[in-house]
Amino acid sequence: MLGISSLITQMAIVVVVTTENNVLSKLGAQSKFGPEIPITVLGIVMKMSQILNSIIIGLAIGAQPILGYNYGAGNYKRVKETFKYVIKISLVISTIALLLFQIFQEQLISVFGKGNNLYMEFARMAFRTYLMMTILNGVQIPSSIFFQAIGRSNKSAIISLSRQIVILIPSMIILGKIYGINGILYSGPLADILAFLITLILLIHEFKLLKEDNEEEVSIEQTQAKLKNHIVITIGREYGSGGRYVGKLVAEKLGINCYDNEFIEKLSKQTGLSKKYIAEHEQKETGTQSFGNIGEQDDLFIKESNLINNLYKKESCVIIGRCSDYILKDKKDVFKVFIYAVEKEKEN
């Protein structure tokens, strides 16, 4: 399946070729080469460029699942390593292509047919000039697909469109008017250089973000090291199902604390309310709360929530009831259990 960058490239080529043919037909007629030679030769040159680009696109798309998977998993080190590896191979390929374009123009053009001296003269000039910065494609194309893989489709589109349409077409028109047929040829390397600079800016910015995310990842790993084997088990239960008894057995088996009525004692010390009152009202809703004020039951819930969150940060434990499953709903290392029983087996 083609990536967004390759699809944009294919569509952009149609626009570029149409514009190029229109400009070349006018400027070529004013040169010694005539309109047909420049159109034919540059068509071949662009086909050779497309072959190179297709190889690099295939390589980059092959790495796309690896980039996307590791980026989603937060493994930014692997993302950087994979991207750098793709860039290295792409640069090797584009360097070999550049040498072929600069040294073996006649051999390459002869694959598509032979022509007179003017035809070969323009072919040599076109390969050497229009493709002189083709090595930069080894960075630009993989970068476009890299941004696509990590979900930055806007940046991917910017890179793809910048070279093919935003820079190349205006360069052809402007340089063509100023320098004639030579201006068309120099529009290629100019577009490559400017698109490369845009790509470089976007890459530097993105890698800074990856660095910041990586620093955050390290702090998380350090925290996890401190909380090795950290787990909090919350137990919700039906009345009479034996949830409290099960919770104590689980805590004893795991060698961790079990918290149940301990919350009542702590709340009593904090609020000054009697343990009996707290036991009767801590998990009950009230309809007497007035606008702008917090009722006693709400105040109890807030304080109890703070106690539960502090326990979560401090140790592994089992927490019985008290809406702890809801209070800790966003925590990753919380195991939520609900215990129920059929009526005839419930405790008396």
Side-chain angles (χ1 to χ4, degrees):
M1 182 177 179
L2 289 177
I4 186 173
S5 59
S6 57
L7 290 174
I8 291 175
T9 300
Q10 295 300 322
M11 290 186 291
I13 286 172
V14 177
V15 179
V16 171
V17 169
T18 303
T19 305
E20 179 188 80
N21 289 342
N22 292 335
V23 176
L24 284 174
S25 62
K26 295 178 182 178
L27 297 178
Q30 302 171 8
S31 70
K32 65 179 182 179
F33 301 107
E36 294 183 1
I37 290 177
I39 291 175
T40 303
V41 171
L42 271 181
I44 294 172
V45 169
M46 290 190 70
K47 283 184 176 64
M48 297 300 298
S49 179
Q50 288 177 45
I51 292 173
L52 168 63
N53 293 346
S54 297
I55 295 172
I56 298 175
I57 287 172
L59 172 66
I61 288 179
Q64 190 174 7
I66 301 173
L67 293 167
Y69 175 82
N70 284 283
Y71 183 83
N75 191 349
Y76 303 124
K77 182 180 179 182
R78 179 65 62 84
V79 172
K80 293 177 182 178
E81 289 175 350
T82 303
F83 178 67
K84 290 176 182 177
Y85 184 73
V86 172
I87 288 291
K88 288 178 182 178
I89 298 178
S90 298
L91 284 174
V92 170
I93 295 172
S94 58
T95 300
I96 294 172
L98 177 63
L99 294 174
L100 292 174
F101 296 154
Q102 297 300 311
I103 300 173
F104 302 103
Q105 303 96 356
E106 293 186 13
Q107 288 82 354
L108 291 172
I109 201 73
S110 64
V111 174
F112 299 89
K114 296 183 179 180
N116 56 29
N117 291 334
L118 280 178
Y119 179 85
M120 297 307 296
E121 179 185 346
F122 187 79
R124 288 190 293 268
M125 186 168 61
F127 269 95
R128 288 174 181 171
T129 305
Y130 193 84
L131 299 176
M132 70 166 62
M133 298 305 296
T134 194
I135 188 173
L136 299 180
N137 290 349
V139 175
Q140 182 196 356
I141 294 174
S143 298
S144 177
I145 294 176
F146 162 73
F147 283 121
Q148 181 185 344
I150 65 173
R152 303 286 195 272
S153 56
N154 55 340
K155 292 182 179 180
S156 176
I158 288 172
I159 294 175
S160 297
L161 291 173
S162 63
R163 199 275 176 189
Q164 296 292 341
I165 294 181
V166 177
I167 301 174
L168 184 58
I169 291 178
S171 299
M172 282 182 175
I173 296 172
I174 295 172
L175 294 180
K177 287 183 178 180
I178 299 174
Y179 301 106
I181 199 73
N182 288 327
I184 299 294
L185 299 180
Y186 280 104
S187 65
L190 176 63
D192 286 332
I193 293 172
L194 294 180
F196 171 75
L197 292 176
I198 292 172
T199 302
L200 198 60
I201 292 171
L202 293 176
L203 280 177
I204 291 173
H205 178 260
E206 190 63 36
F207 270 68
K208 283 183 179 178
L209 295 178
L210 287 178
K211 183 178 180 181
E212 292 174 1
D213 290 340
N214 191 57
E215 289 174 354
E216 182 180 350
E217 181 185 0
V218 171
S219 65
I220 292 173
E221 289 176 352
Q222 291 173 344
T223 303
Q224 289 176 338
K226 293 178 181 179
L227 297 174
K228 188 176 180 181
N229 298 326
H230 179 272
I231 186 172
V232 171
I233 301 172
T234 64
I235 296 184
R237 77 276 188 213
E238 286 184 344
Y239 179 77
S241 63
R244 180 177 286 107
Y245 177 70
V246 171
K248 290 181 179 179
L249 286 178
V250 170
E252 183 179 347
K253 186 73 174 177
L254 296 176
I256 57 179
N257 292 323
C258 178
Y259 292 96
D260 183 13
N261 292 329
E262 289 82 359
F263 286 106
I264 295 176
E265 186 174 348
K266 289 179 182 292
L267 285 173
S268 178
K269 291 180 180 179
Q270 286 187 8
T271 62
L273 299 172
S274 68
K275 296 178 182 179
K276 181 179 179 182
Y277 178 87
I278 293 174
E280 292 176 352
H281 294 86
E282 63 170 334
Q283 298 183 70
K284 292 182 181 179
E285 295 184 355
T286 178
T288 60
Q289 180 180 339
S290 61
F291 182 80
N293 295 314
I294 298 177
E296 287 182 350
Q297 284 78 15
D298 299 306
D299 187 47
L300 285 173
F301 179 76
I302 291 171
K303 285 183 168 56
E304 202 163 56
S305 296
N306 292 334
L307 287 173
I308 290 172
N309 276 300
N310 287 335
L311 276 177
Y312 165 80
K313 295 175 183 177
K314 184 171 139 184
E315 61 179 297
S316 295
C317 60
V318 175
I319 302 176
I320 308 295
R322 289 172 173 79
C323 302
S324 54
D325 57 338
Y326 174 79
I327 294 168
L328 301 176
K329 66 181 189 302
D330 297 324
K331 309 298 184 184
K332 293 183 179 180
D333 46 354
V334 174
F335 190 75
K336 303 177 183 66
V337 178
F338 182 79
I339 298 175
Y340 67 94
V342 295
E343 289 295 327
K344 65 178 181 180
E345 293 182 358
K346 286 184 179 180
E347 295 175 349
N348 296 325

